[in-house]
């Protein structure tokens, strides 16, 4: 296989007619003087390059061996990590392409995780590409010294720029693998879903994709690069505080520093990676970009899971009352005139479950519905889903339809040995699970092909429109429904509009945390 940089040697995946090429550099290694600079196109190589093994994951903290999302083994990590992988049917010709962006809170994750193996999706008649991108402070640190080096006075957003560079590589090279560069769908879950929303918003990514899928994405307010806004310090101010914690002030000193020392300083200072509103890569808050119809005009598929917060309980506010009466009194005391609207959506029949649902809807549900609503208003095909399917193992651990639990079904991995980490609740290998996985693979792949999600023998997925808010309810079987949690969406929508109107941020202080008690703070980060 020949690409612009040279010749690649791939491998036919065992028992399939799918060829995989792994660990392909799409940009130069961001090492030394290239740390905290926009990615540069990958260099050419002489002779053939072995593309049978994944590249290193980008630098990140080690996984907790007891964590739900742990892969059970330590990933090799390196700053030399800007690689991608391609899965294609044998003798593919002008097939549509799905580019997968992994999740991990912009802190962890990798395209090499077994869960993201693209072979089974590729058997649906598409090419699957998965990418690495810089994470943590190597991917998102903003600092005045770094901005001063840039012709446009920019810093931060390096991870997002990596994703854009990977899409350029796909545009320029995917035809060699049998893909159609004019039919590229970006897709991702969690931080990958956020990245998809950011790519929809970024003028720099315009024209590099034709469709988008965002699973459990989110769109809180983010810091401006140079100026404080919405009650938040600037991204540069945050970066200066982190650098001061390790006694560094210049770009040269930052680049010479050990990445482990920098990451440790980030953890102790509370710095977290996030997109930066810099006026160029991201012109304004993501929600405002969509409100002004400035996003890419492409078909979208978006959704979220019923039990998102069950595996992310650190997002829950403290002190949720245990009885319905105490819960309702607490809401009335803190929410004031907004209490009635909140209680209409979350009456507190089960206070903790309702508080979790409110955080789910404020973070993930609002973003999904906002994306499809805005695209539909532009006349673009838009499809919304609500994933509610839960296995016995999930219910036993109070993890029903948890964050990312749809992924094994989409990638066809419910029965694959080693695809799920040791702590992931195993789906039973029965006909119901297999049929659901087949249906979801067909829906996703057909959207990549045509912009219309369909699955043989399953219900037609209704298009979301401004007047009829249809969606696909995914439990044991997909069912078409109308009006997904309207009171919840209305509350979240009104809250964000009010925050924008009054120049306040919306981050973790949403849902049940929207009106915290006097002793609490509202500056929590996402």
């Amino acid at each position: 296989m020949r690409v612009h940089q040279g010749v690649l040697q791939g491998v036919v995946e065992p028992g399939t007619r799918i060829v995989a090429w792994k660990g392909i550099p799409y940009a130069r290694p961001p090492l030394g003087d290239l740390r905290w600079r926009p990615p540069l196109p990958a260099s050419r190589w002489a002779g053939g390059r072995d593309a049978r093994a994944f590249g290193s994951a980008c630098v990140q903290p080690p996984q907790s061996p007891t964590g739900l999302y742990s892969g059970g083994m330590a990933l090799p990590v390196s700053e030399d990590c800007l690689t991608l992988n391609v899965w294609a049917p044998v003798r593919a010709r002008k097939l549509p392409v799905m580019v997968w962006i992994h999740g991990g809170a912009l802190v962890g994750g990798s395209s090499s995780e077994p869960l993201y193996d693209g072979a089974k999706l590729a058997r649906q008649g598409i090419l699957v590409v998965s990418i690495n991108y810089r994470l943590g402070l190597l991917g998102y640190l903003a600092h005045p010294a770094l901005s001063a080096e840039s012709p446009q006075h920019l810093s931060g957003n390096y991870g997002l720029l990596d994703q854009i560079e990977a899409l350029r590589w796909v545009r320029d090279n995917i035809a060699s693998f049998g893909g159609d560069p004019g039919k590229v769908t970006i897709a991702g879950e969690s931080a990958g879903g956020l990245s998809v929303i950011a790519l929809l918003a970024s003028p720099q990514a315009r024209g590099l994709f034709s469709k988008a899928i965002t699973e459990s994405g989110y769109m809180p307010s983010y810091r401006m690069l140079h100026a404080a806004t919405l009650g938040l310090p600037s991204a540069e101010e945050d970066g200066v505080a982190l650098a001061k914690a390790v006694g560094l002030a210049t770009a040269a000193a930052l680049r010479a520093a050990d990445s482990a020392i920098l990451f440790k300083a980030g953890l102790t200072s509370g710095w977290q990676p996030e997109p930066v509103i810099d006026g160029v890569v991201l012109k304004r808050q993501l929600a405002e970009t969509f409100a002004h119809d400035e996003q890419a005009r492409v078909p979208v598929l978006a959704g979220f899971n019923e039990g998102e917060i069950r595996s992310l309980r650190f997002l829950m506010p403290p002190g949720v009352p245990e009885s319905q009466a105490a819960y309702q009194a607490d809401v009335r005391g803190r929410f004031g005139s907004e209490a009635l609207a909140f209680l209409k959506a979350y009456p507190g029949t089960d206070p903790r479950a309702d508080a979790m649902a409110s955080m789910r809807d404020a973070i993930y549900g609002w973003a999904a519905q906002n994306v499809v609503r805005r695209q539909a208003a532009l006349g673009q095909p838009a499809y919304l889903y609500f994933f509610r399917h839960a296995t016995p193992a999930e219910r036993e651990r109070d993890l029903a339809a948890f964050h990312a639990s749809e992924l094994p079904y989409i990638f066809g991995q419910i029965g694959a040995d080693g695809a799920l980490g040791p702590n992931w609740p195993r789906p039973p290998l029965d006909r119901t699970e297999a049929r659901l996985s087949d249906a979801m693979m067909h829906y996703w792949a057909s959207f990549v092909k045509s912009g219309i999600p369909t699955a043989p023998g399953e219900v037609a997925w209704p298009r979301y429109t401004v007047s009829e808010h249809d969606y696909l309810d995914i439990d044991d079987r997909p069912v078409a429904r109308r009006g997904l949690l309207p009171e919840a969406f209305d509350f979240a929508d009104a809250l964000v509009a009010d925050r924008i109107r009054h120049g306040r941020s919306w981050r973790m202080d949403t849902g049940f945390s929207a009106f915290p008690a006097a002793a609490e703070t509202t500056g929590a980060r996402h």
Side-chain angles (χ1 to χ4, degrees):
M1 176 63 61
R2 179 174 290 278
V3 295
H4 285 184
Q5 302 117 288
V7 176
L8 294 167
Q9 179 184 356
V11 61
V12 178
E13 297 281 45
T16 74
R17 292 181 57 78
I18 302 298
V19 187
W21 295 265
K22 301 174 182 178
I24 308 169
Y26 66 82
R28 287 178 60 184
L31 306 174
D33 191 52
L34 296 185
R35 181 192 273 184
W36 293 308
R37 293 191 191 275
L40 296 175
S43 302
R44 295 179 180 272
W45 55 77
R49 181 184 178 93
D50 190 341
R52 294 176 293 178
F54 292 110
S56 296
C58 291
V59 174
Q60 59 193 269
Q63 295 179 330
S64 166
T66 60
L68 177 63
Y69 301 106
S70 170
M73 57 185 294
L75 293 171
V77 300
S78 171
E79 289 191 52
D80 180 1
C81 63
L82 299 186
T83 61
L84 55 76
N85 319 294
V86 180
W87 288 267
V90 172
R91 291 191 290 276
R93 187 170 182 273
K94 295 203 74 173
L95 295 181
V97 182
M98 185 181 90
V99 177
W100 180 256
I101 305 171
H102 69 77
L106 302 179
V107 173
S110 169
S111 65
S112 62
E113 294 180 30
L115 177 58
Y116 304 141
D117 186 289
K120 290 188 178 179
L121 262 181
R123 290 168 65 181
Q124 301 291 323
I126 64 174
L127 268 66
V128 178
V129 178
S130 63
I131 68 173
N132 285 347
Y133 55 96
R134 280 174 281 184
L135 302 168
L137 58 86
L138 295 176
Y140 294 90
L141 179 69
H143 191 282
L146 299 175
S147 299
E149 298 178 329
S150 163
Q152 297 174 297
H153 304 289
L154 304 180
S155 61
N157 285 333
Y158 303 106
L160 186 59
L161 289 169
D162 292 342
Q163 296 168 11
I164 293 170
E165 186 64 26
L167 290 173
R168 293 192 184 107
W169 189 95
V170 168
R171 176 197 61 195
D172 296 339
N173 292 282
I174 205 65
S176 297
F177 299 86
D180 186 342
K183 293 183 178 179
V184 173
T185 299
I186 54 173
E189 184 270 341
S190 193
L194 159 67
S195 297
V196 167
I197 295 171
L199 291 168
L200 283 163
S202 176
Q204 308 296 311
R206 209 56 45 86
L208 295 175
F209 58 90
S210 58
K211 293 180 284 296
I213 298 173
T214 174
E215 304 170 30
S216 302
Y218 44 98
M219 49 170 39
S221 54
Y222 291 119
R223 288 164 172 74
M224 297 285 288
L225 176 58
H226 304 297
T229 187
L230 299 175
L232 301 170
S234 73
E236 287 183 330
E237 185 179 338
D238 257 15
V240 166
L242 185 149
K244 281 184 176 179
V246 287
L248 304 174
T250 68
L254 284 165
R255 290 197 174 98
D258 188 306
S259 62
I261 294 173
L262 294 170
F263 271 73
K264 184 176 180 180
L267 290 172
T268 56
S269 68
W271 185 94
Q272 292 186 8
E274 59 183 43
V276 177
I277 309 303
D278 60 11
V280 177
V281 182
L282 294 174
K283 286 186 171 291
R284 60 172 99 212
Q285 296 294 340
L286 303 182
E288 292 182 291
T289 295
F290 279 76
H292 286 82
D293 296 337
E294 295 170 350
Q295 74 277 25
R297 298 184 175 225
V298 300
V300 297
L301 186 156
F304 62 110
N305 296 359
E306 184 177 42
E308 297 277 5
I309 309 300
R310 292 183 184 275
S311 60
L312 304 173
R313 294 182 189 243
F314 63 89
L315 298 177
M316 282 287 290
V320 177
E322 295 184 3
S323 73
Q324 184 175 22
Y327 168 95
Q328 293 187 347
D330 180 89
V331 169
R332 291 190 183 99
R334 290 191 289 116
F335 282 53
S337 61
E338 305 298 325
L340 186 61
F342 184 84
L343 290 172
K344 184 178 180 181
Y346 312 104
T349 307
D350 181 335
R352 188 156 187 80
D354 274 5
M356 279 197 290
S358 77
M359 300 303 293
R360 171 201 70 200
D361 298 337
I363 298 169
Y364 302 107
W366 177 76
Q369 296 214 49
N370 195 42
V371 166
V372 296
R373 175 183 61 173
R374 296 297 183 182
Q375 296 303 99
L378 292 175
Q380 292 296 323
Y383 297 90
L384 177 67
Y385 74 84
F386 188 41
F387 185 79
R388 295 192 305 112
H389 179 71
T391 67
E394 290 174 23
R395 295 190 189 95
E396 184 178 332
R397 293 170 55 182
D398 195 22
L399 288 171
F402 64 93
H403 185 68
S405 62
E406 84 284 5
L407 291 178
Y409 298 88
I410 292 166
F411 282 91
Q413 300 284 21
I414 59 168
D417 291 339
L420 305 180
N423 307 316
W424 192 291
R426 290 294 190 272
L429 300 181
D430 60 26
R431 185 174 181 179
T432 297
E433 301 297 306
R435 177 169 181 172
L436 179 59
S437 181
D438 285 346
M440 294 184 70
M441 283 194 291
H442 275 102
Y443 281 128
W444 262 243
S446 60
F447 179 80
V448 171
K449 294 174 184 177
S450 67
I452 303 173
T454 60
E458 302 292 348
V459 67
W461 190 329
R463 182 168 164 172
Y464 184 101
T465 65
V466 174
S467 59
E468 297 178 345
H469 303 165
D470 292 336
Y471 69 99
L472 193 70
D473 182 281
I474 305 176
D475 199 339
D476 289 354
R477 295 284 302 279
V479 177
R481 300 193 188 279
R482 178 168 296 171
L484 175 58
L485 304 168
E487 295 88 357
F489 179 64
D490 289 346
F491 180 85
D493 204 40
L495 176 67
V496 172
D498 183 74
R499 295 288 175 84
I500 292 174
R501 191 163 48 247
H502 290 92
R504 290 181 57 198
S505 66
W506 63 99
R507 292 164 79 80
M508 296 317 318
D509 51 342
T510 52
F512 190 80
S513 300
F515 298 89
E520 299 176 16
T521 63
T522 60
R525 303 166 183 245
H526 197 292

